Each structure stands twice: as structure tokens, then as C-alpha cells.
């Protein structure tokens, strides 16, 4: 996988902030009738929910009250279909991982929405890197991806790797690693990162692929060791952990963007109003602090750049998913 193009997505924040500063005081909800809402496809208290709530609070002085509304289920797909069916008035937006629009089209045989046409990509607000990690089931001497592969090959039975969900980005990154390393690893999907990490730390599972942010709170205990990260560069949260490419596994890269979306047919003026808010939000110290606690990096871009990036990612994930042999009728 090719990395997220930060230069392309890094839309000149100074210029964007200048545009926002020159915009009229009637931005967003104040120029409309109704209360803006951010749809979230994952449970309250999770990383997407926490990000949405911080954005809503940051936007309050300019947009008034912004409601965060959970539409949980189907791995985030219910929130996307809710956005699809919403009025294109600029009041309903979605905060979603990019996988809903880049990986899911290749996974689900009956996807309920068209990722390229049922939503307008406005801007990413955060990036999340994944890490391949091991727990106490694996000897302390195993400190690299190659050492883990050698250890797993020497075991009498295939070892497992946990992920937060079947069909999620970590699922396919772990599968890529297993194939590249020539080791049989059984995928063990969980309903979210928390239970998977609990089994990893409890020694029931040898390894796992999760976002860096999910594992950060558990690193001080020593019961989780991150062997490699899936970005083209090292994570600023784990600077001592080498990338997959640094360890000889070129091409295994995956960075999830978390972005803002509007319903298709939303007028261009409304899209631009929201696009003006994203760069300002990710420069806000409170947002930066929230994202850092989640292991996220702040980022913003314009709608055209983000749509182009998602299309490229969608094309790049197609052969990865196909090579895994996984699909779902769900």
C-alpha cells in the first residue's frame, strides 16, 4: 500500500485560515435554519465520538450548538446510509474513518451506498497509523517482525493475530504481513479494539494489529510490545518503533484518515462553509490535545484533494483485499 500523501492532503493551512477569516459572519448554521449535527457510526466514548465532540465544542462560537448523533451498527455503514438519506442542506455531516469509502467497497458484496457518489468528501481532520504488536504469549526476546515470524513458524500450531473487526484495515495489514513473511497466521476478528487487546495482554492471542492510539494506554504495563508501524515514516507517538519497510516489508502501509462528509447534492456554498471550518479546527490547541491522546495526527485538505485521495486509496486497496480472499455477504 502507498502511504497517505501528506503533502497533497496538507492543503495550505495558512491560506485556508485566511479564507475562513475573510468569510462572512453568517457561516454554517447561523446562515441556515436548524441545528447542525455530526453523525458518528461508532459507540459513545470511542475515538471517532471523542473527535466529533471536540470538533462540535470548537465550532460552537461560530456555528452555535452542534449535536453529535450516534448511528451505530454494521461497522459504521449505518451512519453512512443515514448521511446518504439526509437533506442536502449542510446541517448533517458525517465524521468517519476512510475505510467506509476505500476498503468496504471491496469487502461487502451488497454495500448499501455508493462511496464515490452518495457522499461529498469535505476534509480529513486526523490520521491514524496502525501497529503490529505482540503480548506475553510471545517471548520477550522477540523484538522485530522477522523474529516474530520465525517464532510463529516454529510453533506446533498456527498462531493468531487479533484485529478490531473483519474487513477493517488492520485485518488486511495483518494478512499482508503473514503472506509477505511466509507464516501462517489465523485472523481473529473482535468487536472493537478493546476486547482484542484484552486477550492479547492476557496471553490468549499471540499478536494483533490495531491503531497506535488503541495500544498507547497499555504500553507502560509492558504487556504489549509494538514491533512495527504501517506508515511510510515512524509514528511520532512511537519514535523508537521502526516501520514495516525499515524491517524489509516494503509495500505494507496503511494510514486511516478520519474525515468529514456531506450528503450528495449539498450546494457548493455549504460544502465550502464546512471546508473552511476544518483547517481552523485542527489548529485549535484543544483539538490537537484531544487528537494526540487518541494517537491521531491533525490534518486538513480541500474537498477536491480529499476526494482524489480517497479514490486513489480505493483503487490501491482493491488488490490487497482480493489477495486476502475475504469478502462478506453481510
Amino acid at each position: 500500500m502507498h502511504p497517505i500523501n501528506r503533502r497533497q492532503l496538507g492543503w495550505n493551512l495558512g491560506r485556508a485560515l485566511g479564507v475562513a477569516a475573510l468569510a462572512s459572519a453568517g457561516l454554517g448554521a447561523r446562515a441556515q435554519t436548524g441545528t447542525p449535527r455530526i453523525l458518528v457510526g461508532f459507540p459513545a466514548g470511542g475515538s471517532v465520538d471523542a473527535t466529533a465532540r471536540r470538533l462540535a465544542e470548537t465550532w460552537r462560537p461560530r456555528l452555535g450548538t452542534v449535536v453529535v448523533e450516534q448511528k451505530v451498527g454494521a461497522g459504521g455503514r449505518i451512519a453512512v446510509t443515514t448521511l446518504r438519506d439526509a437533506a442536502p442542506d449542510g446541517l448533517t455531516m458525517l465524521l468517519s474513518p476512510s475505510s467506509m469509502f476505500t476498503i468496504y467497497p471491496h469487502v461487502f458484496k451488497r454495500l448499501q451506498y455508493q462511496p464515490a457518489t452518495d457522499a461529498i468528501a469535505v476534509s480529513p481532520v486526523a490520521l491514524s497509523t496502525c501497529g503490529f504488536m505482540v503480548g506475553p504469549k510471545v517471548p520477550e526476546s522477540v523484538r522485530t517482525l522477522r523474529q516474530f515470524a520465525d517464532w510463529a513458524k516454529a510453533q506446533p500450531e498456527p498462531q493468531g493475530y487479533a484485529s478490531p473487526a473483519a474487513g477493517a484495515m488492520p485485518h488486511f495489514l495483518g494478512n499482508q504481513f503473514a503472506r509477505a513473511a511466509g507464516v501462517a497466521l489465523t485472523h481473529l476478528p473482535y468487536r472493537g479494539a478493546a476486547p482484542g487487546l484484552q486477550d492479547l495482554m492476557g496471553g490468549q492471542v499471540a499478536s494483533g494489529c490495531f491503531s497506535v492510539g488503541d495500544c498507547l494506554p497499555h504500553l507502560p504495563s509492558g504487556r504489549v510490545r509494538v514491533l512495527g508501524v504501517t506508515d511510510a515514516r515512524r509514528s511520532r507517538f512511537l519514535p523508537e518503533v521502526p516501520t514495516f519497510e525499515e524491517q524489509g516489508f516494503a509495500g505494507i502501509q496503511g494510514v486511516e484518515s478520519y474525515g468529514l462528509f456531506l450528503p450528495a447534492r449539498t450546494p457548493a456554498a455549504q460544502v465550502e462553509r464546512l471546508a473552511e471550518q476544518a483547517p481552523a479546527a485542527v489548529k485549535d490547541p484543544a483539538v490537537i490535545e484531544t487528537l494526540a491522546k487518541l494517537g491521531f495526527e491533525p490534518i486538513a485538505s480541500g474537498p477536491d484533494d480529499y476526494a482524489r485521495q480517497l479514490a486513489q486509496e480505493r483503487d490501491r486497496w482493491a488488490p490487497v483485499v482480493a489477495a486476502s480472499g475475504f469478502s462478506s455477504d453481510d
Side-chain angles (χ1 to χ4, degrees):
M1 285 297 300
H2 294 279
I4 289 286
N5 187 331
R6 286 176 173 81
R7 180 173 296 176
Q8 182 180 8
L9 285 182
W11 199 49
N12 190 316
L13 294 186
R15 175 180 177 276
L17 286 169
V19 171
L22 293 172
S24 68
L27 285 173
R30 291 176 181 173
Q32 302 165 287
T33 301
T35 301
R37 60 174 179 161
I38 305 175
L39 301 175
V40 170
F42 301 91
S47 58
V48 184
D49 176 72
T51 302
R53 292 184 186 281
R54 174 49 62 190
L55 288 174
E57 190 64 29
T58 299
W59 285 335
R60 183 185 296 272
R62 302 189 71 187
L63 302 181
T65 299
V66 180
V67 175
V68 176
E69 186 174 324
Q70 264 76 34
K71 293 293 182 181
V72 180
R77 286 171 284 154
I78 288 177
V80 181
T81 57
T82 302
L83 181 80
R84 178 201 63 192
D85 297 336
D89 56 9
L91 291 174
T92 300
M93 63 195 99
L94 168 73
L95 180 66
S96 174
S98 56
S99 290
M100 314 296 107
F101 300 90
T102 60
I103 295 179
Y104 279 17
H106 311 301
V107 170
F108 296 100
K109 296 178 180 179
R110 292 190 293 270
L111 198 62
Q112 303 272 322
Y113 56 89
Q114 296 296 320
T117 57
D118 282 347
I120 297 173
V122 179
S123 175
V125 295
L127 296 178
S128 173
T129 299
C130 292
F132 191 87
M133 53 203 73
V134 296
K137 187 175 182 179
V138 179
E140 283 281 338
S141 59
V142 173
R143 293 286 169 173
T144 69
L145 294 169
R146 291 283 183 192
Q147 289 173 350
F148 172 76
D150 291 342
W151 173 82
K153 290 175 185 178
Q155 303 312 300
E157 296 181 352
Q159 297 299 302
Y161 75 95
S163 85
M169 185 180 291
H171 170 184
F172 298 112
L173 290 168
N175 180 267
Q176 277 188 290
F177 168 58
R179 288 186 287 110
V183 59
L185 294 179
T186 302
H187 178 230
L188 303 173
Y190 284 78
R191 292 192 173 185
L197 281 165
Q198 287 299 318
D199 278 1
L200 181 69
M201 293 186 292
Q204 287 82 30
V205 182
S207 63
C209 191
F210 298 98
S211 75
V212 165
D214 288 329
C215 73
L216 287 178
H218 307 292
L219 293 179
S221 72
R223 298 185 68 78
V224 175
R225 305 194 306 278
V226 182
L227 304 184
V229 295
T230 61
D231 199 351
R233 63 183 185 183
R234 296 192 182 195
S235 168
R236 71 181 181 92
F237 302 105
L238 297 171
E240 74 285 358
V241 177
T243 67
F244 270 67
E245 185 169 1
E246 287 179 290
Q247 298 183 65
F249 295 98
I252 302 179
Q253 294 178 10
V255 177
E256 186 93 77
S257 65
Y258 289 73
L260 292 165
F261 299 83
L262 286 168
R265 302 178 305 282
T266 299
Q270 302 292 350
V271 176
E272 287 305 315
R273 285 184 180 123
L274 181 57
E276 288 164 1
Q277 304 303 315
V282 299
K283 297 286 282 187
D284 183 274
V287 173
I288 292 172
E289 180 182 5
T290 295
L291 294 179
K293 289 178 180 178
L294 299 171
F296 290 173
E297 294 184 48
I299 195 167
S301 79
D304 290 344
D305 283 346
Y306 193 35
R308 188 179 305 112
Q309 186 70 47
L310 292 173
Q312 292 172 351
E313 290 293 305
R314 191 156 51 243
D315 290 344
R316 290 167 181 165
W317 278 107
V320 176
V321 175
S324 75
F326 178 81
S327 64
S328 176
D329 293 318
D330 183 14

